[in-house]
Amino acid sequence: MARIKIDLDRRIGTVDRRIFGGFIEHLGRCIYGGIFDEGSPLSDERGFRLDVVQALRDLRIPVLRWPGGNFASGYHWVDGIGPRDQRPRRMNLAWHIEESNRFGTDEFIAYCGLVGAEPYICVNLGSGTIDEAQAWVEYCNGTGHTYWANLRRQHGYPEPYGVKLWGLGNEMYGSWQIGALSAEDYVAKAREFAKVMRMTDPSIQLVSCGWNGWSDWDRVVLEGLARYVDYHSIHLYTGSPDYYGNVLSPHLADFALASCQALIDRVRYEQGIDHPIYVAYDEWNVWFRQWGYDASVAGLEERYTLADALAVATYLNIFIRRCRTVRLANLAQMVNVIAPIFTNPEGLFLQSIYHQFRLYSEWTLDVALDAFVEAETYHLSSEQEARSPWRHRVARLGPFTLVDAACTVNSTGEEITLAVVNRDLQRAVQATIEFVGTAVRPGALVREVNGPGPDASNSFDQPAIVSVSERALDTGGSTISYEFPAHSVTLIRFH
Ligand code: AHR
C-alpha cells in the first residue's frame, strides 16, 4: 500500500529543462562510430550518423557537454579545426586510443544545431594553457576582427557560435586526471582562466570543477571561485550488481545536492555574493559493469537492464525535487559509452535507460510540487552496499521508500505529471493518489516502462524487451486508486 498526496500550493520551484542535458566524449565509440561515422550510408555528407541524430532529437536534449570528461584534460582544441585531412593524429592518453581530430569544435557546434542542443564546452585545465582557453572562447564567440574570430570566418563560419556555457576543467582532483591539482592550486589556476575567458566574452557562464558536492575539495573550490562562477559541478555515478543497491543508490545524489547547496549558501552568505550559483550535475548515470579507467575497459560499453532504468528514473525524480539547486545536468554519456543509444555499422537500438529518460524529458512540466509519499521502506545492508565498485556509503542515508515519486505542474495548474518508480522487486503497490483542493478529469494518459524482470535488457536481436506501454485512465476525481506494477516506472499526465 502507498499514499501519494499532491497539493498544488506546495510548489518547490521551476524545473530547468537543462536537467535533461547530455554529454559526449572522445572515448571508445561515443564520437567515432557513434555520433560521427564518415562514409557510412547512415551518415550525412558531414559524417553525422542520422539515425543517432533522430534518436537524440527524440530525447529533446537541451544542452550537450563536450569534449570530455577525462579527455578534456589533454585536449588541444586547435588540433580539431581547419581542413580535416590536415589535422594531426594524436594519442588520447585518457582512454588509450588514437584521436584523429576529425570531429572538432566546428563539427560539435554543427552537431548541436542538428540535435537542437545548446553547446557546453569543458576547457583543458590539465595540459592546456590560459592562452588556449582564451583563444577557444574568441574562436567561438569573437565578433571583432581579431585572429581567432577571423580564423573561424576563414573556416567558413561567419557568425559567432555564442557558446555561453564553459566548464573550468574536468575532475581536476583525481589522480587519473592529466595535470591533477590540489584544491588550492586548482582555485589559483582556474581563477586566472576564468578572468581571461570572461574578458574575452563577458556574457559567458562558468562552471567550477566540483567533486561529489560534500567534499573538502568542493568547499575549497567554492570558497575560492564563487565570485567567478555561475555553476559548480558534481560528478557522481552509482551502480551495483545488487538489485536494491542499484535502484536505491541514486539517493546519494539527493545527499550530494543538499550538501552542495549548504556549501553554496554558506559561501554566498560569508562573501556577500549576490549572483546565484547553481549545481551543474554534469556527469551522472548508472555505471558499474565496464568500470574503471584502464585500457581493458576503455570502451565502457555498458549494457543496461530494467533495474538500471529504475535507477535512472530515481535520479530524475531527485533532480526534479531538487530543482532549486540543480539547473543543469548531463547524462553521461549519449552513445555507446555508458549510453542510452547503442550503435553498430548497420543501425542502433535503444537501451532500457533511453525510454524513461525520454518520457521524463517529454512529460516533465514547469513547476515541481512537493508530493507527499507514504510507502513501505527498505533498509540496505552493508553487505549489499559493499557489492558496488563505487563503495558509496548509501545505506546510512536510508531507509528509503520503495515507491519514489516526483510531481510537476504547468504554470496554470491545469496539467499535472506524476512520475512514480516502484522499486519493489516482487510486488505491485496499490496506491491512493489524493489531490488537495482540486480534482482531475478521467482520461489521464499513462505511460509505463517495464519488462519481464529486473535483468531484462534490449539488444540488436531483441530491441523491445524493455519498452514503453501507453493507456488511458478512465477514473477521475480528487482521489484515485492506482496499482503500480513491480519494478516499473510510470508517468501519469492528468488534466
Ligand atoms: O564518463 C566517463 C568518465 O567518467 C569521464 O571521462 C570522467 O569525467 C568521469 O570520471
Side-chain angles (χ1 to χ4, degrees), residues 359-365 408 417 445-447 491-493:
L359 278 191
Y360 275 77
S361 176
E362 281 179 1
W363 274 18
T364 298
L365 296 166
T408 54
T417 295
L445 270 187
V446 180
R447 286 187 181 164
L491 271 77
I492 310 179
R493 172 62 75 85

Side-chain angles (χ1 to χ4, degrees), residues 162-200:
V163 178
K164 286 280 171 270
L165 283 165
W166 294 84
L168 294 166
N170 180 74
E171 298 185 357
M172 297 308 300
Y173 46 83
S175 56
W176 56 90
Q177 205 67 211
I178 294 169
L181 297 162
S182 69
E184 291 75 12
D185 289 346
Y186 169 74
V187 166
K189 188 170 181 180
R191 189 184 286 150
E192 298 312 308
F193 274 61
K195 268 162 48 184
V196 294
M197 290 167 74
R198 270 255 164 72
M199 285 170 182
T200 309

